Amino acid sequence: MKPSFPNSRTFHIATIYLSLVFLMLTIAVSAQEKAAYRIFDASGKTVSYEDMLKKASKADVVFFGEEHNNPISHWMELEITTDLLKAKNGKLILGAEMFERDNQVVLDEYLTGVVNQKSFEEESRVWDNYATDYKPLVELAKMEKIPFIATNIPRRYANLVFRKGLEALNTLSNQSKAWIAPLPINLDLNLPTYKAMIDMMGSHGGADKENIVKAQAVKDATMAYFISQNLKKGYLFLHYNGSYHSDAKEGIIWHLNQYARKQDIITISTVEQDELGSLLAENQKKADFIICVTTKMTKTY
């Protein structure tokens, strides 16, 4: 007895049916996935982590703009630092907003084993979320014996600017001024990011509104200056900061261009959205790469 085979029409219908079943299963599985983040380029096109890493590894300076309490930011900082360390064969220098210039000595002493962890953390005024969010980066630098630069202005001097304006910095001693970008600080209050700060305050803040922006600018200028002082040919400088300090390639980057022109700079920014399917227009062009994180993500504080 000969075996029976389905005719071509029956076979075609069966193929379509199976394809539809497979598609529905694929959609069902996809719908169950819980995406924590997606990476986009400045135009809103989805890119891979490998794309971002490859571009970053070719730069002179990379700014990682974080959301301070976002765990994806901090995880990604550690991941890209580890991978850039490999890509650059150890030729990596780290720097961070989270450490102030007058902490550089104790930071160096900890990295080289002169002081213990307890002394370092007590004396360097680490942020409240240091243990979960920044300690892994410092420990990586310690283990790999790579420089870690404290770039930020001591907070007491930023507060002085907030209270009395930039001119108040002239009253400081020469030793204190050594922890700040050279005076006078070049400032452009018409930069869109600075103007946006003023606009956000609306009618609040009164005459102090400009001083708030000036306090921000003196932080940006100081971070830029000490980045410029620690650039090294053939090395990549990776800087961690709040995204507002480097978004739109303003803030720190505007000042860095005053101190060290012609640097190849790549920026990364972190944003949060309800949906990750596409990047909102308001978040496009913030950086070369935008890490978009779901608003449902838990916070580190």
Side-chain angles (χ1 to χ4, degrees), residues 221-238:
T222 298
M223 287 188 273
Y225 179 72
F226 288 106
I227 290 170
S228 74
Q229 295 301 293
N230 289 279
L231 296 176
K232 190 174 180 180
K233 188 174 181 179
Y235 282 69
L236 188 157
F237 195 112
L238 175 58

Side-chain angles (χ1 to χ4, degrees), residues 28 60 90 99 125 132 137 140 174 191 214 244 262 268 270 283:
D60 299 314
F99 294 99
R125 305 188 301 277
T132 55
L137 298 170
L140 178 63
N174 288 336
L191 287 177
K214 288 176 181 178
Y244 44 86
K262 298 182 179 180
I268 299 168
T270 309
N283 290 325

Side-chain angles (χ1 to χ4, degrees), residues 138 168 197 241 301:
V138 173
M197 286 182 65
N241 51 264
Y301 65 89

Side-chain angles (χ1 to χ4, degrees), residues 5-105:
F5 294 98
N7 60 41
S8 60
R9 183 173 179 277
T10 304
F11 181 77
H12 182 64
I13 293 172
T15 301
I16 293 175
Y17 175 76
L18 290 173
S19 297
L20 287 172
V21 170
F22 178 77
L23 178 61
M24 286 187 290
L25 287 172
T26 302
I27 292 171
V29 170
S30 298
Q32 293 172 6
E33 291 179 357
K34 296 288 185 180
Y37 73 96
R38 291 183 73 182
I39 304 174
F40 299 89
D41 66 13
S43 68
K45 179 185 175 183
T46 304
V47 296
S48 68
Y49 173 81
E50 288 72 22
D51 292 331
M52 181 173 70
L53 178 66
K54 184 178 179 180
K55 191 76 179 289
S57 67
K58 296 177 180 178
D60 299 314
V61 188
V62 173
F63 288 90
F64 195 115
E66 65 172 47
E67 291 292 323
H68 293 317
N69 63 356
N70 188 294
I72 294 294
S73 278
H74 300 299
W75 169 68
M76 192 67 80
E77 282 171 338
L78 184 59
E79 288 296 302
I80 201 167
T81 303
T82 303
D83 291 335
L84 284 174
L85 188 63
K86 294 175 184 175
K88 298 297 293 185
N89 295 315
K91 292 184 176 181
L92 187 66
I93 301 169
L94 307 182
E97 170 195 0
M98 300 80 198
F99 294 99
E100 298 162 25
R101 279 308 297 165
D102 56 341
N103 291 328
Q104 188 66 64
V105 171

